[in-house]
Amino acid sequence: MSNEFSDITGVEAWAKKLDELLGVAEQAAEANDGAARRDIRTRLKDFILHSRPESPEISRLDTIASETRTALAMESITERIAAIAKRSSDLVRFTKEFQARTEAGHSRAHLITLEPARKVVATTTATIQALKELQAELSTVQDEPLLRDILQVLSQLQSIRSEIESA
Amino acid sequence: MGSPRPLIACGIVLGVVLQGLLSSCALPEVKPFTDATVQLHAAVDISGRVVVKEVQALDQGQAAAAVLAQSWEMRVKLLDALVDYARSLQAIVDAGKKGQENAEKLGAAIKTLGVATNLIVPGGGAAVGVATDIASSFYAQIATVLAARSLEEALDASQPGIEIIARHLSEDIADLEEILLDAVQEQMDAEEEKYQLELGFRLELEKQRKALSGAGIDLHAGNTTQIVEKLKTIDALLAITDRWYLPLQARLVALRQRRDTSRGLIVACQAGIEQWAASHTTLANTVRQRKIADVDELVQTAIDIREHIKKVRDL
């Protein structure tokens, strides 16, 4: 069970070891290497667990090791979160873009199903039938201008029908 | 109403045009892309949640967790939009397939309209029926062409965005994995640090025990009883430390397992992004290449057209 701390004795030797670890931690922080950072964090934790004896001097070294370890962890985490946050604005733009595409896609699909055209024809048919009934009722009335207007409306409907035919 | 000849001409022209279009048109299967998008949505959503939770568990993690949660919510909203987009593609394909049914309904409606107008304005009856029969027969195929074109336009317009999104999401997931590893390790280190003194004591006991066992028992030195007693004392002390040591180990194992499970999901999510983007590219390529439509369908369309033309000639 020997490790890098097995042969260390005395405050000075422990301080020297911590100094070495802090140097590695600095390099890992600069390199922005997640695995290297986690490796040195483990070594700092092991330093804390193995450092002897329990004295105020050693305790101070342990505190430095612990704070460095936590700082390194939080730095790594906040850096990654910042990188994620930085990409957010692009993704928000794409969210809007794809929402618009979805709407356009559904409108297109709706048109392809011919549903709107079918509704127009159905409405027009109903209107013509209603006007036919009106015309029958008006045939008994000698009102030339009114009959002329109705025939004009019917003529327009005839045009609509022709357009549908040629569509 | 005019002569039916223009209708015949119209029908022939339409037939030629449609045959040209149909020879290069078919609707692809959109479902794999829709399924991949739905799966990716779930994977991204859950991955984000588990990592936010791990960051929240850190003593100094609250603020960072809040930023991550807020940023990740934007990814989930994007995936919501992408699921809707995938479904809109499906709607276009479904609309194309539904063309026949609705064209028949429209044809019937136009015929009714023809009958209704003929009652009021004489001259608009029989030709309307033939014209609508031709139109509805063609429309079934036109709907397929329109759907294929709409699909192609939508896929082509979206492809660059899909590629950028995939790249961004892939980077996000890589960052998320690192955050997970960092956060869980920090929790494990903090757990062990809480027992710094106790662990130091136990390590010392283990060291002594190893030294005694390694020294061996020298019968001639007469220290056997002493060593055995020392070992018994160490074992008893180790057993006492088990009261906190074993639960600590169990917590560390649980953290490790949780990390591995979450990491598995994140790795799957990373692979999912790749597959999702690839399925969109495949779909776009399939539509772009315009695979040849079913021959039987084309033959049947030709027969229908001839029958409709015959009807017009017989008028």
Side-chain angles (χ1 to χ4, degrees), chain B residues 83-100:
Chain B
V83 167
D84 289 343
Y85 161 72
R87 286 182 178 146
S88 76
L89 296 180
Q90 186 65 57
I92 291 171
V93 171
D94 291 345
K97 288 176 181 170
K98 219 179 159 189
Q100 175 76 52

Side-chain angles (χ1 to χ4, degrees), chain A residues 30-41:
Chain A
E30 282 171 8
N32 194 18
D33 180 343
R37 286 182 184 187
R38 282 190 290 277
D39 183 56
I40 187 61
R41 280 164 53 196

Side-chain angles (χ1 to χ4, degrees), chain B residues 21-302:
Chain B
L21 289 170
L22 289 169
S23 64
S24 59
C25 179
L27 291 172
E29 188 60 69
V30 178
K31 203 173 174 294
F33 177 68
T34 312
D35 290 346
T37 313
V38 170
Q39 277 172 14
L40 185 64
H41 180 284
V44 167
D45 188 8
I46 298 166
S47 298
R49 282 170 201 259
V50 296
V51 177
V52 165
K53 219 171 162 184
E54 297 298 355
V55 178
Q56 271 172 342
L58 303 176
D59 286 343
Q60 301 172 26
Q62 297 308 307
V67 176
L68 179 60
Q70 196 184 12
S71 298
W72 211 256
E73 187 56 34
M74 293 176 193
R75 273 76 185 162
V76 176
K77 278 185 183 163
L78 171 64
L79 264 301
D80 283 342
L82 289 169
V83 167
D84 289 343
Y85 161 72
R87 286 182 178 146
S88 76
L89 296 180
Q90 186 65 57
I92 291 171
V93 171
D94 291 345
K97 288 176 181 170
K98 219 179 159 189
Q100 175 76 52
E101 187 191 324
N102 280 358
E104 281 168 8
K105 280 184 191 167
L106 180 64
I110 291 174
K111 276 182 196 168
T112 311
L113 174 64
V115 171
T117 50
N118 198 39
L119 287 170
I120 311 166
V121 184
V128 174
V130 176
T132 50
D133 281 348
I134 290 174
S136 58
S137 170
F138 274 125
Y139 190 77
Q141 303 306 329
I142 291 171
T144 308
V145 174
L146 285 177
R149 286 197 171 165
S150 301
L151 205 58
E152 186 178 355
E153 280 170 23
L155 290 164
D156 279 349
S158 303
Q159 186 61 28
I162 294 284
E163 284 167 15
I164 297 169
I165 289 169
R167 205 165 54 239
H168 279 355
L169 283 180
S170 181
E171 288 167 357
D172 287 344
I173 292 293
D175 283 333
L176 204 65
E177 185 179 3
E178 287 292 315
I179 295 168
L180 171 78
L181 297 177
D182 283 332
V184 175
Q185 185 177 326
E186 181 56 19
Q187 290 177 58
M188 290 168 74
D189 290 348
E191 276 283 350
E192 285 191 277
E193 254 190 61
K194 276 186 212 162
Y195 291 87
Q196 180 195 352
L197 290 175
E198 293 87 339
L199 278 169
F201 177 63
R202 190 178 162 106
L203 278 171
E204 196 55 43
L205 288 175
E206 282 170 348
K207 215 161 117 183
Q208 282 178 23
R209 198 184 193 290
K210 197 185 171 193
L212 283 171
S213 304
I217 297 168
D218 184 354
L219 292 172
H220 300 289
N223 62 352
T224 311
T225 314
Q226 203 184 353
I227 290 172
V228 169
E229 284 307 311
K230 271 188 180 174
L231 281 171
K232 275 184 184 173
T233 308
I234 289 170
D235 284 345
L237 289 169
L238 279 172
I240 291 168
T241 63
D242 278 349
R243 286 175 200 163
W244 57 263
Y245 183 75
L246 294 179
L248 171 66
Q249 289 308 308
R251 283 198 296 280
L252 294 176
V253 167
L255 274 167
R256 220 170 279 130
Q257 282 175 346
R258 204 167 73 201
R259 178 199 63 196
D260 293 346
T261 306
S262 302
R263 197 178 188 185
L265 173 67
I266 287 172
V267 169
C269 190
Q270 190 67 275
I273 292 167
E274 222 169 277
Q275 284 168 5
W276 168 77
S279 71
H280 192 276
T281 309
T282 306
L283 193 55
N285 288 341
T286 305
V287 178
R288 210 174 292 123
Q289 285 161 8
R290 295 187 177 183
K291 288 181 179 170
I292 294 168
D294 185 46
V295 175
D296 290 343
E297 205 178 314
L298 284 174
V299 170
Q300 188 55 48
T301 306

Side-chain angles (χ1 to χ4, degrees), chain A residues 54-67:
Chain A
E54 295 305 329
S55 67
E57 290 83 2
I58 292 291
S59 182
R60 270 197 294 277
L61 296 179
D62 287 348
T63 304
I64 294 168
S66 177
E67 284 174 357

Side-chain angles (χ1 to χ4, degrees), chain A residues 158 161-162 165, chain B residues 1-7 122-128 312 315:
Chain A
Q158 175 75 3
R161 191 202 64 182
S162 302
E165 278 175 37
Chain B
M1 199 66 202
S3 156
R5 285 184 188 282
L7 287 174
V128 174
V312 172
L315 279 174

Side-chain angles (χ1 to χ4, degrees), chain A residues 21 24-25 28 35-45 72:
Chain A
L21 296 181
V24 177
R37 286 182 184 187
R38 282 190 290 277
D39 183 56
I40 187 61
R41 280 164 53 196
T42 301
R43 290 173 71 191
L44 286 165
K45 179 208 67 185
L72 211 51

